[in-house]
Amino acid sequence: MAHQAGVAADADDSGRVSLMYDPKARGLFFQVLLILVVIYLVYSGITNAIDNLARAGIASGLGFFGERAGFDIGQSFIPYTNDSTYLRAFFVGLLNTMVVAIIGIFFATMIGFVVGLARLSKNYLVQKFATVYVETLRNIPLLLQLLFWYKAVLSILPSPRQVGLEPGAEVAFSLNNRGLYLPRIVPEGGAEFILFALILALAAWFFIGRWAKKRQMATGQQFPVFLTGLGMVVGLPLLAFLVSGMPLDLEYASLQGFNMVGGWVIQPEFMALLLGLSLYTASFIAEIVRAGILAVSHGQSEAAYALGLRPNLTSRLVVVPQAMRVIIPPLTSQYLNLTKNSSLAVAIGYPDLVSIFGGTVLNQTGQAVEVISITMLVYLTLSLLTSAFMNWFNSSVALVER
């Protein structure tokens, strides 16, 4: 009776329980209190760091971004000189990191899927070769692999003169210790129509794919989306190229003195980093693919064979779509690892974000707090964007029960 009287006393005249005894209200109060404490601690830490830097005579803030960099960068995908600002150098390092990460993810995925399928092959030699590849590369530290490709493979290539290049003679292909030289495409007037045709072909491929999926769900009939899209991606730009008067020219590299001039060069540092990241990550992706395929019940394949499906259609339409539910989550982790492992580029001299911004800019400006914080924020942002894209892709390929 006393307990009931106490509860009644805690309630107001309308019968509602006091906020002090409401679990939701108490939970909200403590969450808000925790957020305020965290904000206070962060604010205190920042102000304390600023005061300490000021007492030590060290500049703070982001004003250094507008100052002249004063150093050269070996490889840049955007125009850059030593008269450019630190902000320009930051974007050069960011773009260098993103390019090697995106291309590395592409090649690692392709190689990983092929090796993963090879590990399940009934051919003894193919299976053993894939097994040796996986067990070898994934058990050697990535840094050692990068040094191997750079020091033991690419650096010992002959010089341009030693490969027999004649001074002044143009070459379409040359691999030497200065890099891989290929023809560079030089656009002329009217070349923009080729780009418009390519964009139009990609958009048409996307909409045809959506239409074909709805058509298959409604009628069960398949449409050759891949071949149709590939034909448009190749055919439309080629047609625009011919109609606009072939507004593309090729610039070839040539030996001038001791250096190669002209053409398009892929530097040894970039190749070593790309090879190391792609092959190393592919060894882990191969095991993910193999585990995903093995996770699909063998009865699914037997049922498909019983319906008259060929082995290639069974793999593409039955096994792989179900295996993707197992493959994509750990595949996302490997993409994140590859992006973050690109920071090892500093060991072989590739000018990535860590090398340029976290190295040279930090040493010249002395603003360690700002530089390191921005560098960490960039990698955090890249990881979050990659995770968001892979989560969207995972939901788009998920099997929906009807």
Side-chain angles (χ1 to χ4, degrees):
M1 295 296 293
H3 174 71
Q4 293 178 355
V7 173
D10 294 332
D12 57 15
D13 296 337
S14 61
R16 296 180 179 178
V17 180
S18 174
L19 293 178
M20 183 180 299
Y21 297 95
D22 186 354
K24 293 184 178 180
R26 288 203 309 269
L28 180 61
F29 171 76
F30 286 113
Q31 290 181 33
V32 173
L33 181 61
L34 178 61
I35 292 175
L36 293 176
V37 171
V38 171
I39 293 176
Y40 172 76
L41 293 176
V42 172
Y43 174 77
S44 300
I46 293 176
T47 54
N48 187 41
I50 293 175
D51 293 339
N52 292 334
L53 291 174
R55 280 194 290 268
I58 301 176
S60 61
L62 302 179
F64 69 94
F65 271 126
E67 299 176 2
R68 178 179 178 270
F71 61 89
D72 294 318
I73 299 177
Q75 179 169 338
S76 173
F77 294 97
I78 58 176
Y80 174 86
T81 65
N82 54 14
D83 290 325
S84 300
T85 62
Y86 285 124
L87 181 61
R88 189 73 171 183
F90 166 78
F91 282 115
V92 170
L94 174 61
L95 188 58
N96 286 353
T97 296
M98 293 180 62
V99 167
V100 75
I102 293 174
I103 299 177
I105 286 174
F106 173 79
F107 282 113
T109 303
M110 297 297 103
I111 298 173
F113 267 80
V114 171
V115 175
L117 293 174
R119 290 211 64 185
L120 298 174
S121 175
K122 296 180 180 179
N123 187 298
Y124 179 82
L125 291 179
V126 172
Q127 181 186 13
K128 292 304 178 182
F129 176 80
T131 301
V132 171
Y133 169 86
V134 171
E135 297 300 334
T136 301
L137 291 188
R138 74 173 182 172
N139 290 305
I140 298 177
L142 176 58
L143 180 58
L144 293 180
Q145 295 189 38
L146 295 178
L147 294 174
F148 167 79
W149 287 111
Y150 184 63
K151 294 292 186 180
V153 177
L154 297 176
S155 295
I156 63 175
L157 291 175
S159 65
R161 287 183 175 272
Q162 292 174 338
V163 297
L165 297 180
E166 298 181 359
E170 296 182 340
V171 292
F173 174 87
S174 177
L175 178 62
N176 50 66
N177 59 3
R178 301 295 177 87
L180 174 62
Y181 288 85
L182 301 171
R184 185 170 70 92
I185 300 176
V186 180
E188 299 176 350
E192 63 274 8
F193 293 107
I194 302 176
L195 179 60
F196 293 153
L198 178 60
I199 296 175
L200 179 62
L202 292 174
W205 193 349
F206 173 76
F207 287 110
I208 288 176
R210 296 188 61 181
W211 167 81
K213 184 176 181 180
K214 293 181 180 179
R215 177 173 176 263
Q216 182 178 357
M217 297 295 290
T219 63
Q221 298 179 352
Q222 295 182 355
F223 185 81
V225 177
F226 178 77
L227 294 178
T228 303
L230 184 62
M232 290 189 300
V233 168
V234 175
L236 287 180
L238 180 60
L239 180 61
F241 172 75
L242 297 175
V243 171
S244 57
M246 298 184 290
L248 296 177
D249 196 10
L250 294 178
E251 176 187 281
Y252 297 95
S254 62
L255 180 60
Q256 303 291 339
F258 293 97
N259 295 321
M260 299 287 292
V261 178
W264 182 49
V265 58
I266 304 177
Q267 296 187 352
E269 294 82 6
F270 179 84
M271 288 191 292
L273 182 62
L274 184 61
L275 284 170
L277 290 175
S278 300
L279 296 177
Y280 177 77
T281 309
S283 63
F284 292 91
I285 294 179
E287 287 297 275
I288 294 172
V289 172
R290 184 175 72 95
I293 294 176
L294 292 177
V296 179
S297 174
H298 188 63
Q300 299 289 326
S301 301
E302 294 179 345
Y305 296 150
L307 293 174
L309 291 179
R310 296 189 299 273
N312 59 337
L313 290 178
T314 299
S315 299
R316 182 164 59 89
L317 301 177
V318 178
V319 177
V320 173
Q322 297 184 69
M324 291 301 290
R325 296 180 297 175
V326 181
I327 292 174
I328 291 179
L331 188 64
T332 303
S333 298
Q334 294 305 317
Y335 289 169
L336 298 178
N337 290 337
L338 187 148
T339 303
K340 291 179 288 187
N341 287 336
S342 65
S343 59
L344 294 174
V346 66
I348 58 175
Y350 177 74
D352 72 323
L353 181 65
V354 174
S355 176
I356 296 175
F357 194 66
T360 307
V361 174
L362 172 60
N363 292 332
Q364 293 190 179
T365 62
Q367 299 189 218
V369 176
E370 293 85 352
V371 171
I372 298 301
S373 298
I374 293 174
T375 304
M376 292 192 299
L377 182 61
V378 167
Y379 279 99
L380 175 62
T381 303
L382 293 177
S383 298
L384 293 177
L385 290 176
T386 303
S387 299
F389 173 79
M390 292 301 294
N391 290 335
W392 167 82
F393 180 70
N394 188 28
S395 62
S396 65
V397 301
L399 298 180
V400 181
E401 298 182 358
R402 293 186 295 171

